[in-house]
Structure formats: C-alpha cells, structure tokens
Amino acid sequence: MLEIAVARKIGSLELRIDLMLNRESVLVAGPNGAGKSTLLRLLLGVLSPDAGRIALDKRVLFDAEKGIDVAAEDRELGYLPQDYALFPHLDVIGNVKFGLSRLRRTDRQRHAEEWLERLGVAHLSRRSPGGLSGGERQRVALARALARSPRALLLDEPFASLDPVARRELRASLRAWLFEWRLPALIVSHDPADAVLADRIIVVERGRVVQQGTIDELRGAAASSFVAGFTAEPA
Amino acid sequence: MKLRAPTTWGSAQLLASALLGFFLLLPVVALFATLSWGDFLGGLRNPLLAPALRLSLVTTTSSLAIVVVLGSLLAWRVARYPGRASRWLETVAQLPAVIPPAVAGLGLLLAFGRRGLLGAWLDRHGIALAFTTPAVVLAEAFVSAPFFVQAAIAAFRRLDENLLVVSRTLGASPFRTFLRVGLPLAAPGLVAGAAMSWARAVGEFGATLLFAGNLTGRTQTMPLAVYTAMESDLRAAQALSLILVAIAFALLFVLRRMGPGAALPGTEARGA
C-alpha cells in the first residue's frame, strides 16, 4: 500500500495531494503544469515535500514532523521515466545489472537474464540502447526496474515516445503485466487511451486532486473542462 | 559552367581570412623555417633542455591531477545544484582565465609567499612554498583550472537529468551515480577540458616566473628555459620552442580526432 499526503510549493504551483493506493493501478491525469511530474519527484525522493508524509507498506519514506526523509536509493520504487532513460554507455544487460549491485556477481547476471527473458527481450542483451526501438527500450527499462523487486511502480507517460502501433501493442502488454504483478502503480499520462491500464483515474489540476473514479464515473459527472475533454468518447 | 562574380562581401571575407590566417601561421612557420637540422640537434644538446623538460612533465602532471580531481567535484556541484552559491563558484573558477598571468604570480606570492596571507602561517609551521617546485605546480594549477572547470561544468550540464534520477531509483547513492553515470557520460567533455587545461599549464610563464622564480632543475619549466636560452643562444631557444610546438600540435590533433560530437555524450541514445 502506498500512502501519500504531501504539500510542496514551487514557484506559482502549490501542490497538495492526498492519495492512497492499494495493490492497484492509478492513472494520474491533468493538464501540463498541474504538478504530475512534481508529485513523482516528491515520491521518488529527488525533491522534498514542505510538509506531509509518504508511507509504503507500513514503511515511512517521508515524514516532515518526525524528520524522516529516506534517500531515493533506499525507497524501493520502480521508476520508468518518459524516455525510459536507459544508460547509453552500458549495453542492455549492463543496464539491468546496474540496479543489482546488492547481489553476488554470478547471481546478478542470471537474475538480469531472467528478467529480460520475462519481458521478451533476452535476445537484445548485448545490444546498445541506442539501436533499440521505442518498444524494446520500454521493455528493457521495465525489466531494469522490476529486477530490483520494487514495492511500487511509478510510470511517467509510458507511451509518449512511441509510435501509435507500438503504443497499442505495448499498452496491451503493460496492462497484462500490471495485472500479473499487482504492485501499487502510479501512471502519469495525459492520453485518455491509457485509462485501460488503471483501476481508477485521479485528475490533478493546479496541484490539487479535483476528481477521481473510473473513467465512466468521471464521464458521467465531469468536474472541469479538462475532465470533460479527457473522458470524451473518441469521435 | 560559369563562375559567379565575387561580391564585395565575399571578397572581404576571403581577404580577412587570408590576412588573419597568414598572421597566425607565420610565427609558427618561422620557428621551423629559420632553423637548420644541425642547429636543431645542437639545440637539443643544450644543458637547459633535459631538466626543464622533466620539470615541465612532473609539474604539469601534478597540477593536472589537482585540477581534475578538485575541478570535477566543483563542476558537479555547480552543474547539479544551481543557485547563488553555484553562480559565485563558477565566477571564482573563471577568474584566473581573465587575470594577467604576471598579476596571478604576484597574487600567489602575496598569498603563499613567506610573508603572505597564508604563507606567514605556513612559514611558522616550517613550510616554504615560494620559489620551490610545489610553487610551480600551484602557479600552473591556478592558471589552468578555469579551462578544465568550464569544460566540466558544460559537460555535466548536458547530462540527462532522468538518467541521474533513474540511477538513484536503481539503488545508487549520489556518489555512485556521479561515478557510474555522470563521469562516463561526461568523459569526452572532461578529456577535452583536461587537454586544454594541460596545454595552458605547459605554456605557463608569467605566474611561474613571479611566484616560483627561474631556477634550473627546480622551477625552470620549458617556457622559462626558452626565455633563459634566448639570452645566450637563440638556436637553443628555438629548438626548445619546437618541442613545445610539437606538443601543442599533438594535442590539437587528438582533440580534432575526438571531434565536436564527442563532446555531446548520450545524444546517440535519444532520437531512435
């Protein structure tokens, strides 16, 4: 379970978000500058909230009152940034092994190969990330994040850098994987088609949650023009 | 095919290029052209050469090590944590590039000399820096630091922020992220900066002369040996100079081979 109650002021944005995720996928939607990326950075621990508390499976990651702020490297969160951020100076397997420094050298190799296998990209193991397609890079990045057995997943616009065909294919795969893993997953997106990935949708505007529910619930009673646009049936 | 007639603007460019190119190249050509092979070999036997060459190698390697280690950390700080303090640090690190070398030497003397700001304290503890080999290293580090630091800041700023964040989420501490992601990806820029910085240190003259003096075997580096040789034997000075020119050419060649693309790590992984 991921419990989030954070407040942070950056420039003109005053972010204040309360959110609780069980073993479910939640889509965070909202217009540009609404604070979606800021929320991810607060959770990841690369930006500190001014106030609030973050807990993951009863482990407190941040508590302003108690002065707890667990370092980013110890938060056990799997993160998939928008462009997947594969390390260009390492090959595919090197990317996966990067996160496995806790394991013994021989286990590291085997474990990394297993995860590449599970995501169907074991054949790319010796390739350089530069030569991979967008879809392949996403799978490698997922393998890299999941190989560390994270307690929750954070995905930032997981399909934004893919072409429409790859997007449809990978969306279906990701949906099946998320169902299989049953991790709390927070997916930031402004593509309504990504709603199929999530059990519910949270709409953030100007740093606040303005509405949440399933896509049908939102469509029935849109609280803002953004929600109305986001949930509109494709023509 | 008929050639288009040159315009005045086009001719101005050609004329300016020819003039400046000629002016920049002529002194280098003169160094080679006015020295016979025999004079060159004779110059190489000048007793000033061996100690100066050895001292230059030792001191510039030392100053480069200091500049690269401290400069990399400073540049990382400035590039990754922007703010007022970083802007100040960056300006301070640029300062030696605009201060005349002789002025830098005087400043070093007033800071580290026997009666200097810090030198007086050092002197009481039995440490004398001025007019010693370590003073040469300090002078070279002082004048050459900006070249490395600037290149390193630029290289670190070009890094994709997401790569650094992902590295942290994969369990790497900030230091390990610097070591395993920051340094390798910025390496081409850092190497280019180190080469420019080293070239500046090799050529350092004014600050060394004022702060370290001109003592054969102790503080007389190659440029100072050229200066000293000129007083007695122009041919020897010329032979020493040619060695410096050869070093400069070798550096330039290496830098050109690395190419401008090498200074932009990580770009090949984007796009696709």
Side-chain angles (χ1 to χ4, degrees):
Chain A
M1 190 174 18
L2 179 59
E3 296 165 77
I4 305 163
V6 288
R8 167 81 200 217
K9 190 173 186 311
I10 300 180
S12 62
L13 175 72
E14 280 186 52
L15 185 106
R16 184 177 293 276
I17 286 181
D18 290 323
L19 203 58
M20 179 119 82
L21 271 79
N22 290 308
R23 297 193 164 276
E24 60 181 332
S25 304
V26 170
L27 188 84
V28 179
N32 287 335
K36 306 187 299 273
S37 299
T38 304
L39 174 63
L40 286 185
R41 291 170 66 79
L42 292 172
L43 295 176
L44 288 168
V46 291
L47 187 68
S48 286
D50 297 327
R53 185 173 180 278
I54 303 168
L56 180 59
D57 294 340
K58 290 179 186 153
R59 182 174 173 232
V60 178
L61 300 183
F62 179 86
D63 192 323
E65 281 175 19
K66 291 185 182 151
I68 299 172
D69 191 358
V70 173
E73 59 269 31
D74 297 322
R75 292 200 171 192
E76 298 178 275
L77 294 167
Y79 172 51
L80 205 70
Q82 198 173 122
D83 57 3
Y84 314 130
L86 294 179
F87 301 122
H89 60 302
L90 301 176
D91 59 9
V92 163
I93 190 118
N95 265 275
V96 181
K97 285 189 334 199
F98 184 95
L100 302 176
S101 53
R102 288 175 304 191
L103 301 182
R104 277 196 314 227
R105 195 170 290 272
T106 46
D107 295 341
R108 227 179 278 171
Q109 177 76 19
R110 190 180 42 77
H111 195 69
E113 281 168 2
E114 268 172 30
W115 270 101
L116 288 174
E117 186 74 54
R118 285 175 83 162
L119 288 160
V121 283
H123 60 290
L124 303 174
S125 141
R126 287 283 153 212
R127 293 268 296 275
S128 155
L132 305 183
S133 73
E136 289 168 338
R137 282 190 288 144
Q138 194 197 44
R139 284 164 187 259
V140 174
L142 268 172
R144 180 176 67 175
L146 291 164
R148 286 178 53 80
S149 319
R151 291 171 180 276
L153 265 185
L154 306 179
L155 298 96
D156 191 2
E157 302 283 359
F159 309 109
S161 51
L162 301 183
D163 62 74
V165 179
R167 199 175 291 189
R168 264 198 300 280
E169 251 176 57
L170 272 154
R171 195 178 280 125
S173 304
L174 186 61
R175 190 183 179 192
W177 288 326
L178 287 174
F179 187 78
E180 182 191 331
W181 302 323
R182 277 290 146 200
L183 287 172
L186 206 65
I187 306 159
V188 164
S189 172
H190 58 250
D191 185 349
D194 290 343
V196 297
L197 295 170
D199 299 300
R200 63 195 162 104
I201 298 166
I202 300 219
V203 180
V204 175
E205 288 183 46
R206 290 181 300 280
R208 308 293 158 105
V209 174
V210 293
Q211 200 170 7
Q212 52 179 308
T214 65
I215 186 110
D216 291 325
E217 285 166 3
L218 296 189
R219 190 176 287 139
S224 72
S225 57
F226 174 82
V227 179
F230 189 79
T231 57
E233 300 274 8
Chain B
M1 193 171 77
K2 200 175 135 194
L3 284 175
R4 205 183 298 176
T7 61
T8 315
W9 173 226
S11 310
Q13 291 170 28
L14 285 178
L15 186 66
S17 304
L19 262 179
L20 188 58
F22 177 74
F23 170 66
L24 295 179
L25 203 57
L26 189 63
V28 181
V29 170
L31 279 172
F32 286 95
T34 58
L35 190 69
S36 73
W37 189 240
D39 285 340
F40 175 67
L41 292 177
L44 288 188
R45 280 193 292 276
N46 189 296
L48 289 179
L49 174 69
L53 193 57
R54 194 171 51 238
L55 188 71
S56 271
L57 282 177
V58 169
T59 56
T60 55
T61 309
S62 310
S63 68
L64 185 65
I66 294 170
V67 164
V68 166
V69 172
L70 300 184
S72 295
L73 299 193
L74 181 148
W76 184 259
R77 186 79 212 171
V78 168
R80 306 315 312 170
Y81 303 88
R84 187 184 301 226
S86 287
R87 278 198 300 278
W88 270 99
L89 263 180
E90 193 176 357
T91 309
V92 167
Q94 276 175 325
L95 211 55
V98 291
I99 292 182
V103 176
L106 186 59
L108 283 165
L109 199 58
L110 294 173
F112 298 103
R114 184 162 288 182
R115 273 177 290 181
L117 284 180
L118 194 63
W121 182 83
L122 289 174
D123 194 54
R124 279 200 298 280
H125 292 80
I127 303 167
L129 280 175
F131 308 107
T132 64
T133 305
V136 178
V137 175
L138 289 188
E140 287 170 348
F142 186 88
V143 299
S144 69
F147 294 85
F148 177 75
V149 169
Q150 272 311 304
I153 290 174
F156 288 145
R157 280 200 179 126
R158 280 194 297 265
L159 293 177
D160 179 354
E161 173 79 23
N162 265 334
L163 292 173
L164 306 177
V165 173
V166 163
S167 165
R168 299 289 307 281
T169 69
L170 292 172
S173 63
F175 176 62
R176 191 159 170 262
T177 297
F178 166 73
L179 225 53
R180 298 264 329 259
V181 182
L183 283 185
L185 289 180
L190 299 180
V191 171
M196 291 307 295
S197 172
W198 187 66
R200 176 64 188 87
V202 169
E204 167 34 44
F205 178 81
T208 310
L209 186 62
L210 267 82
F211 179 44
N214 187 10
L215 312 164
T216 309
R218 284 182 63 197
T219 68
Q220 189 179 76
T221 55
M222 284 293 281
L224 288 160
V226 171
Y227 174 72
T228 306
M230 259 185 74
E231 290 175 347
S232 56
D233 180 1
L234 182 65
R235 298 294 154 202
Q238 213 170 334
L240 294 175
S241 300
L242 284 178
I243 293 173
L244 287 176
V245 172
I247 293 173
F249 275 162
L251 261 180
L252 210 55
F253 179 73
V254 169
L255 285 176
R256 292 302 291 262
R257 279 289 296 273
M258 286 170 58
L264 293 167
T267 42
E268 81 282 4
R270 316 299 297 281

